[in-house]
Amino acid sequence: MTAKLQEYINQLYRTEAAYRATLNGIVEGAKQEFLALPRDQRNKENKMKIVRSKLDVLLAQEDACDAEVEAILSGMQAVLKEYGQSNDLVNEVRSYYQESKVTWKAAMMTQLYS
């Protein structure tokens, strides 16, 4: 059981790393797009336009990551059920994921909007 759960945990770490890299790339691209504007066009309004233009892609990435995490958690839940264990671990991981996502999003939005 432990090896099976560890593989799911490893999948979660790989998923997190992949999606954070993708999202960081999108955020960095938005910053570069803003910095590529002529100096006199680098204002709050144009910054917000660039940020809003990335919103659909960011939300799609979030949805894809959420789905992948839920699939992994479902696998963990199946292993725990198979061995007669509670879902506490799955609930803790899900909670951690949600909290981590909120914190990361807030940090990125602060960067983008400041």
Side-chain angles (χ1 to χ4, degrees):
M1 174 178 84
T2 304
K4 289 179 183 179
L5 289 175
Q6 187 59 53
E7 181 51 38
Y8 283 117
I9 291 168
N10 292 344
Q11 285 179 23
L12 287 167
Y13 283 124
R14 287 190 300 268
T15 298
E16 178 184 29
Y19 280 99
R20 283 196 185 217
T22 299
L23 296 176
N24 283 331
I26 294 167
V27 168
E28 190 57 37
K31 289 178 186 178
Q32 293 305 314
E33 190 175 332
F34 179 73
L35 292 174
L37 293 172
R39 190 175 280 300
D40 65 331
Q41 292 181 21
R42 292 185 206 157
N43 55 46
K44 192 83 163 174
E45 180 182 337
N46 285 334
K47 183 184 274 190
M48 294 303 106
K49 279 184 191 176
I50 292 169
V51 170
R52 283 190 299 271
S53 76
K54 308 298 181 205
L55 191 57
D56 287 342
V57 173
L58 290 168
L59 290 174
Q61 287 295 318
E62 180 180 1
D63 289 346
C65 185
D66 288 350
E68 192 167 336
V69 167
E70 281 304 316
I72 294 167
L73 293 178
S74 179
M76 287 177 73
Q77 193 169 4
V79 170
L80 292 168
K81 184 177 180 180
E82 178 183 342
Y83 288 91
Q85 302 294 312
S86 75
N87 283 325
D88 290 348
L89 177 61
V90 171
N91 294 334
E92 287 176 28
V93 171
R94 184 177 285 120
S95 179
Y96 170 80
Y97 170 70
Q98 293 299 329
E99 290 171 16
S100 176
K101 187 170 73 166
V102 167
T103 301
W104 187 87
K105 282 170 60 174
M108 289 300 104
M109 296 311 280
T110 299
Q111 269 188 31
L112 286 170
Y113 287 127
S114 59

